Amino acid sequence: MCEFTVYVKNADSVEQEKITRNIVGAIKKDTSVTLVDVMGNSQVVENVYIESVSTIKQELILRKLS
């Protein structure tokens, strides 16, 4: 199974912060993304958009809205 580590970048920065791992699902709604882990637990990240997803690196990058 492909489990992702999720990082968030500030709107005006290239630096990223790891916020969670073992994520198997991401649901975008308006300006939030709901992340679902392998146990079925969910975490909502507000005021972000999905910048990139890499199955090779197993990472999901979110960027904060300005």
Side-chain angles (χ1 to χ4, degrees):
M1 183 182 326
C2 193
E3 299 167 7
F4 290 88
T5 300
V6 180
Y7 299 90
V8 174
K9 291 182 179 180
N10 286 327
D12 57 354
S13 174
V14 295
E15 293 182 27
Q16 57 191 29
E17 172 188 354
K18 180 167 69 170
I19 60 167
T20 191
R21 56 188 198 94
N22 298 325
I23 297 300
V24 294
I27 303 157
K28 170 122 176 50
K29 183 175 182 183
D30 299 325
T31 61
S32 68
V33 176
T34 301
L35 305 170
V36 182
D37 70 14
V38 294
M39 301 301 289
N41 300 315
S42 62
Q43 172 184 352
V44 178
V45 184
E46 300 285 348
N47 297 313
V48 295
Y49 65 90
I50 297 172
E51 181 175 275
S52 65
V53 178
S54 172
T55 56
I56 293 171
K57 293 180 181 179
Q58 293 184 310
E59 60 183 30
L60 167 64
I61 310 294
L62 303 174
R63 183 170 294 269
K64 291 183 181 179
L65 296 168
S66 53

